Each structure stands twice: as C-alpha cells, then as structure tokens.
Amino acid sequence: MPITLYTARYVLPIAAPPLLNGAVAVQDDRILAVGAYDELTSSYPAAETVRFPEGILLPPLVNAHTHLELSHFPEWAAEKGETGAPDSFVGWILQVIRVKRGL
C-alpha cells in the first residue's frame, strides 16, 4: 500500500512538543512516523503528500463516556419487538426512545 505524508504548518504529537512544518507518515490507516517534514520526505521519498499549509494536525478528540443504563438494551429491544437495526443515528435514537417508553 502507498504511504501518504500529511503536512501542516504545525503538527501536535501530544507526547512531544509541537512541530513547526511537521508531517505524519501514514500507511493503511496506521501512523508510521511523526516528525519534521524534511526528515520524513527523505525517509519516504515516494510518498504522496497532502498539504495543509496553514493547518494544524493533531490527534482526534475522543468522547469516551458511556451509557451503562443501555447495557441491556438489546434484550429490551427484542422484548419490545424491535429486532431490526436502524439505518441511521437518528433512527437509532428514535428506537431507543420507543423501547425505553415501552418499558
């Protein structure tokens, strides 16, 4: 699989200080390396480059909260005859409302 270098004015690796003119080397949705653009272009000379000249690259924010009250939702849904999986997030929310009201 090809390697892609994502470059930006700033790269924020979080575990290290911010990098001015940094890059992130990615292959198959895996980060291979994070570093200075010049270093990574010499390490991966055949890589395709995607540039964000005035951008900032940083790890995504993760919303790690849970809804423990929904642990038994599959059983509740089956009990209420809601056996099909909704085809959208809105459909899922509406299903949750129907099942919880039906309990």
Side-chain angles (χ1 to χ4, degrees), residues 8-93:
R9 180 175 212 154
Y10 296 100
V11 172
L12 305 180
I14 304 303
L19 300 168
L20 182 61
N21 298 318
V24 179
V26 177
Q27 183 179 39
D28 291 332
D29 296 327
R30 295 183 145 251
I31 295 174
L32 301 175
V34 177
Y37 173 73
D38 293 340
E39 291 173 12
L40 292 186
T41 54
S42 66
S43 296
Y44 304 100
E48 174 188 351
T49 300
V50 177
R51 300 177 194 281
F52 300 98
E54 296 302 319
I56 299 173
L57 293 177
L58 65 153
L61 303 176
V62 176
N63 182 352
H65 80 278
T66 62
H67 290 270
L68 294 177
E69 76 276 9
L70 294 177
S71 297
H72 296 287
F73 183 78
E75 291 87 11
W76 300 340
E79 180 182 321
K80 296 298 174 189
E82 295 273 353
T83 56
D87 60 355
S88 68
F89 179 72
V90 171
W92 178 78
I93 292 294

